[in-house]
Amino acid sequence: MKTNSLSLVRKLCVCSFAILLVPLLQQSAAAHSFSTSFLTLSAHEDNAQLRWSWRFTAHDIEALTGSPDAAAALPLLGEWLRFNDDCRPEPSTAIDAGVHAGEQTYTYSGTAPCAYSTDIDYTVRHIFGPLPDHKVLQRKSSP
């Protein structure tokens, strides 16, 4: 009888541990398994510059900056994004908040001092450490 009760106690302990562990695993798995931002490039009126906008989810901005404040990303955008390797974006201070696919989003926009072309290259830096599975989807407008 003692062996049966000891076995029952062990089973209860294992079940209790599993019940406590499942929510912790779900929370860490949902933290940042996949994220996407949307970069749009188009010609500026004078065609000597390009216009850009970059939409992120609010939780990605918080993961990247350590702050829930959308403005915390403004000084970092020039480090995160480059055009043709040496052309830095110049963000405006306006940040458009919205909802996309049920998530809070922030869209940053501005210009860059390089000519727009449909084959312009862009490089994303420094964001894949905090967001290892991040994808940047890009849309280019015709001039």
Side-chain angles (χ1 to χ4, degrees):
M1 192 98 171
K2 279 189 173 185
T3 310
N4 285 344
S5 63
L6 187 56
S7 177
L8 180 60
V9 168
R10 284 184 182 155
K11 288 179 183 176
L12 286 173
C13 286
V14 168
C15 287
S16 298
F17 180 72
I19 289 171
L20 292 173
L21 189 60
V22 167
L24 292 174
L25 290 175
Q26 286 177 332
Q27 199 171 31
S28 65
H32 259 102
S33 58
F34 179 74
S35 62
T36 305
S37 61
F38 298 89
L39 177 64
T40 302
L41 305 177
S42 61
H44 193 268
E45 299 88 46
D46 62 7
N47 210 25
Q49 295 184 20
L50 65 86
R51 283 186 302 192
W52 58 272
S53 67
W54 202 2
R55 183 178 67 210
F56 284 89
T57 61
H59 62 86
D60 284 349
I61 291 300
E62 187 168 358
L64 290 167
T65 65
S67 171
D69 182 10
L74 285 173
L76 301 172
L77 290 167
E79 296 300 319
W80 295 348
L81 182 63
R82 298 280 168 84
F83 303 104
N84 292 339
D85 290 332
D86 60 350
C87 180
R88 287 182 165 198
E90 298 170 350
S92 72
T93 56
I95 301 167
D96 293 326
V99 175
H100 180 74
E103 294 194 70
Q104 176 68 46
T105 62
Y106 301 120
T107 301
Y108 304 90
S109 59
T111 59
C114 44
Y116 173 80
S117 69
T118 55
D119 62 343
I120 193 164
D121 289 328
Y122 70 94
T123 306
V124 176
R125 303 173 180 175
H126 308 298
I127 69 172
F128 299 109
L131 304 174
D133 293 325
H134 188 80
K135 306 289 184 254
V136 178
L137 301 181
Q138 187 219 3
R139 183 173 75 90
K140 294 179 188 173
S141 300
S142 56

